[in-house]
Amino acid sequence: MIVTFTANPSLDRTVALPGPLARGEVQRAVSVRQESGGKGVNVSRALVASGLDSLAVLPGADGDPVLAGLREQGVPFVSLPIDEPLRTNVALTEPGGVTTKVNEPGPILAADQQEALIKLLLESSRGASWVVLAGSLPPGFPDNFYAMVARRIREAGNGTAPLIAVDSSGAPLAASLTDAGSSDDGTGSGATTPGSGKPDLLKPNAEELAELAAAAGFPPATGDELEADPAAAAAAAAAVVRSGVGAVLATLGSKGAVLVTADGAWLATHPPVAAVSTVGAGDSALAGYLLAHGRGSAPADCLRQAVAHGAAAASLPGSTVPAVHQTTPDAVTITALRKD
């Protein structure tokens, strides 16, 4: 069982335009899609589509459209009832896959609601193989929320806690690496300790990797530079792993992805696809990695399935997630890289 945690879920509306976005002009949409979303929700949707057991943990009133959408798709979930409606995010997609997103901030949850949400996650993750902490945080949540939750999951597990993956951005992502309460085993191996708030797997994009690597002491670089130079991306990810993170799966857009662990580094590339929408492609990549990991695949093959899932998602409309039979892992090329 893979449990996903989405503190700030959304109803994702994708509006497909017939041509480039024209600011200040009236444009008519070609189509409109609406799906339950948020990073963790998307990961659960992709896993369930491929026949894997997954449970989504999130806030939301029983009649909220986000929860209704999960029921319609057959995605198991548990929710913390709240009074406010969940947010709606809008994505405008142009031909060729160029996407412009407008994301609402989400409802405010009081401190007691935040604690209740954590307890719901702790109860739901008993016996799970992975817990995925994903997406932005609602207003009022502390930046180190994911690091704090990771520590509490490990403390509750008493040596049998699930592995923890984090896929976020900005301050919550940075805090998962730099939170003062986190620690590693002191060997530089990337192994996480029972009291650590650092994840077993981080899933940044190139821009997020640049920020994380700088915090870990790597020479400053831009996301564009890392996306264009997989060797540099692998070196940046290695710096993050040395700081105490178990592994880094960094997606590089159309350039593929790199995976760095304490034992190696790999680049995976997929032949170009006709991009329709990039919304949720990174979430699908993480789902592909977890799917392969659950099968006992080697790290390079987990990366292979991650890139195959991400490429398949980019070729689908809106935030549609692919099932494993829609992916083409045999088309993915794996190249071993140096970590430094």
Side-chain angles (χ1 to χ4, degrees), residues 22-92:
R23 294 183 60 192
E25 301 293 334
V26 175
Q27 291 177 273
R28 298 190 182 280
V30 173
S31 64
V32 178
R33 296 180 63 91
Q34 183 169 286
E35 290 154 317
S36 300
K39 283 184 172 295
V41 167
N42 290 340
V43 171
S44 277
R45 289 172 53 220
L47 292 171
V48 170
S50 294
L52 207 67
D53 289 337
S54 183
L55 178 70
V57 179
L58 68 164
D62 186 62
D64 194 278
V66 174
L67 303 191
L70 291 177
R71 291 190 188 96
E72 290 174 4
Q73 296 178 58
V75 178
F77 68 88
V78 292
S79 62
L80 175 73
I82 60 174
D83 294 330
E84 293 186 64
L86 297 173
R87 61 184 179 147
T88 297
N89 294 339
V90 178
L92 305 175

XYZ file of all heavy atoms in Angstrom, residues 22-92:
508
model
N -3.342 34.756 -25.632
C -3.277 36.181 -25.987
C -3.736 36.997 -24.789
O -4.936 37.064 -24.492
C -4.148 36.473 -27.208
N -2.800 37.613 -24.097
C -3.139 38.389 -22.902
C -4.033 39.575 -23.257
O -3.796 40.283 -24.218
C -1.863 38.894 -22.228
C -0.996 37.800 -21.652
C 0.203 38.384 -20.933
N -0.212 39.261 -19.833
C 0.617 40.083 -19.189
N 1.887 40.169 -19.575
N 0.173 40.838 -18.210
N -5.078 39.782 -22.467
C -5.977 40.899 -22.662
C -6.996 40.713 -23.764
O -7.785 41.618 -24.040
N -7.001 39.546 -24.398
C -7.927 39.281 -25.503
C -8.973 38.246 -25.092
O -8.805 37.510 -24.116
C -7.151 38.756 -26.724
C -6.080 39.706 -27.240
C -6.662 40.970 -27.832
O -7.828 40.917 -28.293
O -5.968 42.009 -27.823
N -10.063 38.193 -25.833
C -11.084 37.164 -25.638
C -10.737 35.959 -26.510
O -10.518 36.106 -27.721
C -12.490 37.687 -26.001
C -13.516 36.559 -25.916
C -12.880 38.845 -25.085
N -10.646 34.773 -25.902
C -10.357 33.544 -26.642
C -11.399 32.488 -26.286
O -11.877 32.432 -25.152
C -8.958 33.026 -26.307
C -7.837 33.907 -26.841
C -6.466 33.405 -26.416
O -5.978 33.744 -25.360
N -5.865 32.588 -27.265
N -11.716 31.671 -27.233
C -12.678 30.599 -27.003
C -11.934 29.276 -26.808
O -11.011 28.964 -27.565
C -13.658 30.501 -28.174
C -14.480 31.776 -28.356
C -15.606 31.592 -29.353
N -16.336 32.840 -29.535
C -17.266 33.302 -28.716
N -17.588 32.588 -27.639
N -17.881 34.446 -28.954
N -12.354 28.536 -25.820
C -11.699 27.273 -25.518
C -12.101 26.195 -26.508
O -13.222 26.173 -27.021
C -12.058 26.826 -24.103
N -11.155 25.292 -26.762
C -11.435 24.120 -27.583
C -12.131 23.060 -26.741
O -13.057 22.383 -27.193
C -10.131 23.557 -28.182
C -10.392 22.240 -28.905
C -9.494 24.571 -29.112
N -11.680 22.928 -25.494
C -12.273 21.944 -24.586
C -11.954 22.340 -23.150
O -11.038 23.130 -22.892
C -11.741 20.527 -24.872
O -10.341 20.472 -24.607
N -12.710 21.782 -22.217
C -12.485 22.002 -20.792
C -12.599 20.658 -20.086
O -13.555 19.903 -20.307
C -13.503 22.993 -20.195
C -13.266 23.153 -18.695
C -13.426 24.347 -20.891
N -11.602 20.350 -19.237
C -11.618 19.117 -18.455
C -11.561 19.493 -16.978
O -10.970 20.503 -16.604
C -10.418 18.221 -18.792
C -10.393 17.720 -20.220
C -9.172 16.845 -20.453
N -9.198 15.651 -19.629
C -9.740 14.492 -20.007
N -10.308 14.389 -21.202
N -9.718 13.454 -19.214
N -12.130 18.649 -16.147
C -12.152 18.894 -14.709
C -11.863 17.591 -13.983
O -12.540 16.584 -14.220
C -13.523 19.439 -14.313
C -13.661 19.794 -12.850
C -14.934 20.571 -12.587
O -15.040 21.743 -12.929
N -15.922 19.911 -12.001
N -10.827 17.605 -13.114
C -10.417 16.386 -12.423
C -9.970 16.717 -11.013
O -9.486 17.815 -10.740
C -9.271 15.704 -13.183
C -9.696 15.100 -14.505
C -8.550 14.995 -15.512
O -7.766 15.948 -15.631
O -8.472 13.966 -16.196
N -10.121 15.766 -10.117
C -9.597 15.916 -8.765
C -8.080 15.953 -8.837
O -7.472 15.144 -9.542
C -10.052 14.754 -7.884
O -11.464 14.699 -7.821
N -7.479 16.895 -8.114
C -6.038 17.043 -8.245
C -5.340 17.428 -6.958
O -5.882 17.327 -5.862
N -4.123 17.925 -7.126
C -3.167 18.068 -6.051
C -2.142 16.965 -6.245
O -2.474 15.865 -6.698
N -0.869 17.255 -5.939
C 0.201 16.312 -6.278
C -0.016 14.909 -5.716
O 0.098 13.911 -6.423
C 1.546 16.881 -5.818
C 2.107 17.963 -6.717
C 3.480 18.388 -6.252
C 4.128 19.329 -7.250
N 4.390 18.680 -8.545
N -0.321 14.820 -4.432
C -0.521 13.499 -3.854
C -1.713 12.785 -4.446
O -1.667 11.578 -4.711
N -2.796 13.522 -4.656
C -3.986 12.943 -5.287
C -3.639 12.390 -6.666
O -4.053 11.283 -7.039
C -5.110 13.995 -5.381
C -6.225 13.511 -6.307
C -5.662 14.300 -4.001
N -2.862 13.149 -7.432
C -2.473 12.685 -8.768
C -1.643 11.414 -8.708
O -1.789 10.520 -9.549
C -1.703 13.777 -9.503
C -2.572 14.947 -9.906
O -3.791 14.833 -9.975
N -1.951 16.081 -10.175
N -0.748 11.323 -7.722
C 0.058 10.110 -7.572
C -0.850 8.920 -7.275
O -0.714 7.843 -7.878
C 1.121 10.281 -6.472
C 1.811 8.947 -6.179
C 2.165 11.319 -6.888
N -1.800 9.096 -6.360
C -2.731 8.004 -6.056
C -3.546 7.618 -7.285
O -3.749 6.425 -7.562
C -3.677 8.409 -4.921
O -3.084 8.216 -3.663
N -4.018 8.600 -8.032
C -4.793 8.306 -9.242
C -3.977 7.471 -10.222
O -4.485 6.506 -10.817
C -5.233 9.602 -9.909
C -6.325 10.362 -9.155
C -6.576 11.729 -9.758
N -6.834 11.640 -11.190
C -6.356 12.501 -12.093
N -5.594 13.510 -11.731
N -6.653 12.348 -13.362
N -2.698 7.832 -10.400
C -1.850 7.102 -11.342
C -1.570 5.688 -10.852
O -1.537 4.736 -11.649
C -0.549 7.863 -11.566
N -1.353 5.523 -9.560
C -1.087 4.196 -9.017
C -2.313 3.299 -9.145
O -2.209 2.140 -9.567
C -0.657 4.306 -7.553
C 0.697 4.967 -7.300
C 0.900 5.216 -5.809
C 1.841 4.124 -7.853
N -3.489 3.824 -8.797
C -4.719 3.040 -8.889
C -5.006 2.677 -10.344
O -5.457 1.562 -10.647
C -5.889 3.821 -8.262
C -7.217 3.137 -8.556
C -5.689 3.946 -6.759
N -4.728 3.605 -11.269
C -4.941 3.323 -12.695
C -4.088 2.156 -13.170
O -4.447 1.457 -14.127
C -4.636 4.565 -13.529
N -2.957 1.937 -12.495
C -2.058 0.847 -12.870
C -2.257 -0.395 -12.012
O -1.450 -1.327 -12.065
C -0.600 1.319 -12.769
O -0.337 2.330 -13.728
N -3.312 -0.404 -11.195
C -3.643 -1.602 -10.429
C -2.931 -1.730 -9.103
O -2.951 -2.806 -8.491
N -2.300 -0.649 -8.622
C -1.581 -0.700 -7.351
C -2.461 -0.136 -6.246
O -3.228 0.804 -6.466
C -0.285 0.111 -7.453
C 0.865 -0.320 -6.536
C 1.364 -1.699 -6.963
C 2.001 0.687 -6.592
N -2.352 -0.711 -5.058
C -3.131 -0.223 -3.919
C -2.580 1.115 -3.452
O -1.377 1.256 -3.188
C -3.076 -1.214 -2.756
C -3.867 -2.478 -3.024
O -4.786 -2.425 -3.868
O -3.558 -3.511 -2.408
N -3.448 2.113 -3.354
C -3.046 3.425 -2.859
C -4.209 4.047 -2.111
O -5.383 3.817 -2.445
C -2.622 4.334 -4.022
O -2.175 5.596 -3.536
N -3.876 4.831 -1.104
C -4.875 5.530 -0.303
C -4.497 7.001 -0.233
O -3.372 7.339 0.158
C -4.937 4.941 1.108
C -5.910 5.613 2.082
C -7.360 5.310 1.678
C -5.644 5.151 3.518
N -5.405 7.868 -0.613
C -5.168 9.307 -0.556
C -5.715 9.864 0.750
O -6.863 9.599 1.113
C -5.843 9.999 -1.746
N -4.885 10.627 1.462
C -5.289 11.292 2.701
C -5.325 12.791 2.419
O -4.337 13.357 1.931
C -4.317 10.986 3.848
C -4.748 11.699 5.124
C -4.226 9.479 4.082
N -6.449 13.430 2.741
C -6.617 14.840 2.404
C -7.732 15.451 3.234
O -8.551 14.730 3.796
C -6.920 15.003 0.915
C -8.267 14.495 0.367
C -8.538 15.102 -1.006
C -8.332 12.972 0.269
N -7.793 16.782 3.312
C -8.936 17.430 3.935
C -10.050 17.608 2.913
O -9.810 17.566 1.702
C -8.362 18.783 4.370
C -7.332 19.083 3.331
C -6.743 17.752 2.940
N -11.276 17.834 3.396
C -12.375 18.108 2.467
C -13.707 17.653 3.009
O -13.808 16.584 3.624
N -14.723 18.475 2.780
C -16.081 18.110 3.179
C -16.575 16.944 2.329
O -16.143 16.766 1.185
C -17.013 19.309 3.011
N -17.474 16.167 2.884
C -17.927 14.948 2.212
C -18.482 15.223 0.817
O -18.272 14.434 -0.103
C -18.993 14.255 3.065
C -19.392 12.910 2.493
O -18.523 12.016 2.400
O -20.564 12.759 2.129
N -19.169 16.350 0.644
C -19.766 16.641 -0.654
C -18.896 17.479 -1.562
O -19.355 17.900 -2.635
N -17.644 17.711 -1.177
C -16.776 18.547 -2.002
C -16.534 17.887 -3.367
O -16.377 16.664 -3.459
C -15.428 18.757 -1.298
C -14.620 19.875 -1.928
O -13.956 19.618 -2.961
O -14.655 20.994 -1.403
N -16.505 18.683 -4.451
C -16.292 18.113 -5.788
C -14.991 17.311 -5.918
O -14.937 16.370 -6.712
C -16.267 19.349 -6.691
C -17.084 20.365 -5.964
C -16.812 20.127 -4.514
N -13.961 17.674 -5.147
C -12.705 16.915 -5.224
C -12.930 15.484 -4.738
O -12.490 14.513 -5.378
C -11.593 17.598 -4.408
C -10.338 16.722 -4.365
C -11.255 18.965 -4.995
N -13.620 15.339 -3.612
C -13.886 13.997 -3.087
C -14.866 13.242 -3.980
O -14.724 12.032 -4.178
C -14.436 14.088 -1.663
C -13.569 14.815 -0.627
C -14.123 14.588 0.773
C -12.116 14.370 -0.703
N -15.832 13.965 -4.523
C -16.775 13.322 -5.442
C -16.040 12.766 -6.658
O -16.348 11.670 -7.140
C -17.841 14.328 -5.878
N -15.055 13.517 -7.152
C -14.284 13.052 -8.298
C -13.481 11.800 -7.982
O -13.358 10.902 -8.825
N -12.925 11.729 -6.772
C -12.180 10.529 -6.380
C -13.106 9.319 -6.307
O -12.725 8.215 -6.714
C -11.486 10.766 -5.036
C -10.332 11.778 -5.039
C -9.782 11.961 -3.633
C -9.224 11.330 -5.991
N -14.295 9.525 -5.795
C -15.252 8.409 -5.751
C -15.573 7.919 -7.162
O -15.632 6.712 -7.419
C -16.549 8.846 -5.055
C -16.423 9.099 -3.574
C -17.787 9.282 -2.929
N -17.659 9.718 -1.550
C -17.729 10.985 -1.156
N -17.956 11.936 -2.049
N -17.597 11.300 0.111
N -15.788 8.848 -8.063
C -16.132 8.479 -9.437
C -15.004 7.701 -10.106
O -15.256 6.812 -10.921
C -16.438 9.737 -10.247
C -17.732 10.433 -9.853
C -17.920 11.747 -10.578
O -17.072 12.074 -11.443
O -18.905 12.453 -10.287
N -13.762 8.023 -9.755
C -12.616 7.359 -10.371
C -12.202 6.099 -9.619
O -11.253 5.423 -10.028
C -11.426 8.319 -10.438
C -11.672 9.526 -11.339
C -10.487 10.469 -11.343
O -9.362 10.099 -11.684
N -10.721 11.712 -10.965
N -12.862 5.809 -8.513
C -12.534 4.608 -7.762
C -11.219 4.695 -7.016
O -10.559 3.671 -6.795
N -10.845 5.910 -6.604
C -9.598 6.103 -5.866
C -9.915 6.105 -4.369
O -10.623 6.995 -3.885
C -8.916 7.423 -6.256
C -7.646 7.634 -5.429
C -8.585 7.430 -7.743
N -9.414 5.138 -3.603
C -9.680 5.103 -2.165
C -9.104 6.333 -1.468
O -8.011 6.795 -1.799
C -8.975 3.822 -1.704
C -8.841 2.979 -2.933
C -8.623 3.957 -4.048
N -9.834 6.862 -0.485
C -9.338 8.031 0.244
C -9.953 8.070 1.629
O -10.992 7.449 1.906
C -9.679 9.325 -0.501
C -11.141 9.664 -0.552
C -11.754 10.413 0.454
C -11.934 9.222 -1.608
C -13.095 10.706 0.418
C -13.292 9.520 -1.653
C -13.875 10.263 -0.639
N -9.300 8.797 2.517
C -9.866 9.181 3.807
C -9.675 10.681 3.919
O -8.648 11.226 3.492
C -9.199 8.457 4.993
C -9.516 6.977 4.967
C -7.693 8.675 5.009
N -10.673 11.371 4.491
C -10.610 12.822 4.527
C -10.944 13.362 5.897
O -11.709 12.745 6.655
C -11.558 13.430 3.485
O -12.900 13.081 3.774
N -10.366 14.524 6.206
C -10.700 15.263 7.408
C -11.772 16.282 7.040
O -11.509 17.174 6.222
C -9.469 15.984 7.958
C -9.735 16.887 9.168
C -9.996 16.036 10.406
C -8.583 17.857 9.391
N -12.991 16.169 7.589
C -14.048 17.116 7.228
C -13.676 18.552 7.600
O -13.166 18.811 8.696
C -15.246 16.627 8.055
C -14.949 15.199 8.363
C -13.466 15.135 8.524
N -13.880 19.474 6.677
C -13.675 20.901 6.937
C -14.881 21.657 6.387
O -15.636 21.128 5.569
C -12.368 21.426 6.297
C -12.391 21.244 4.774
C -11.150 20.740 6.900
C -11.198 21.878 4.059
N -15.047 22.894 6.853
C -16.212 23.679 6.446
C -16.015 24.385 5.115
O -16.964 24.554 4.353
C -16.544 24.718 7.524
C -17.001 24.077 8.829
O -17.591 22.985 8.769
O -16.735 24.662 9.895
N -14.778 24.793 4.824
C -14.528 25.561 3.606
C -14.376 24.647 2.395
O -13.899 23.513 2.519
C -13.257 26.399 3.752
C -13.341 27.516 4.772
C -12.090 28.380 4.731
O -11.833 29.030 3.697
O -11.361 28.385 5.733
N -14.774 25.133 1.211
C -14.551 24.339 -0.004
C -13.075 24.291 -0.356
O -12.311 25.212 -0.034
C -15.353 25.099 -1.070
C -15.397 26.506 -0.564
C -15.478 26.398 0.929
N -12.655 23.209 -0.986
C -11.281 23.102 -1.471
C -11.089 24.025 -2.676
O -12.045 24.450 -3.314
C -10.966 21.651 -1.843
C -11.036 20.668 -0.655
C -10.890 19.234 -1.142
C -9.961 20.994 0.379
N -9.858 24.324 -2.969
C -9.544 25.308 -4.014
C -9.772 24.739 -5.415
O -9.864 23.523 -5.615
C -8.083 25.746 -3.885
C -7.092 24.600 -4.058
C -5.679 25.055 -3.839
N -4.749 23.931 -3.996
C -3.517 24.044 -4.476
N -3.053 25.211 -4.849
N -2.736 22.976 -4.585
N -9.832 25.653 -6.379
C -9.894 25.295 -7.788
C -8.665 25.891 -8.484
O -8.358 27.070 -8.311
C -11.169 25.848 -8.452
O -12.316 25.253 -7.844
C -11.185 25.539 -9.946
N -7.948 25.070 -9.228
C -6.806 25.519 -10.024
C -7.177 25.483 -11.503
O -7.878 24.570 -11.943
C -5.583 24.628 -9.785
C -5.054 24.754 -8.363
O -5.318 25.741 -7.674
N -4.300 23.764 -7.920
N -6.706 26.459 -12.238
C -7.005 26.549 -13.664
C -5.711 26.473 -14.458
O -4.743 27.192 -14.164
C -7.743 27.856 -14.004
C -8.001 27.947 -15.504
C -9.068 27.939 -13.243
N -5.664 25.601 -15.446
C -4.518 25.484 -16.352
C -4.977 25.816 -17.767
O -5.979 25.272 -18.244
C -3.934 24.075 -16.303
N -4.254 26.710 -18.429
C -4.525 27.068 -19.818
C -3.453 26.412 -20.674
O -2.257 26.699 -20.525
C -4.491 28.587 -19.997
C -5.425 29.393 -19.080
C -5.194 30.881 -19.269
C -6.873 29.036 -19.350
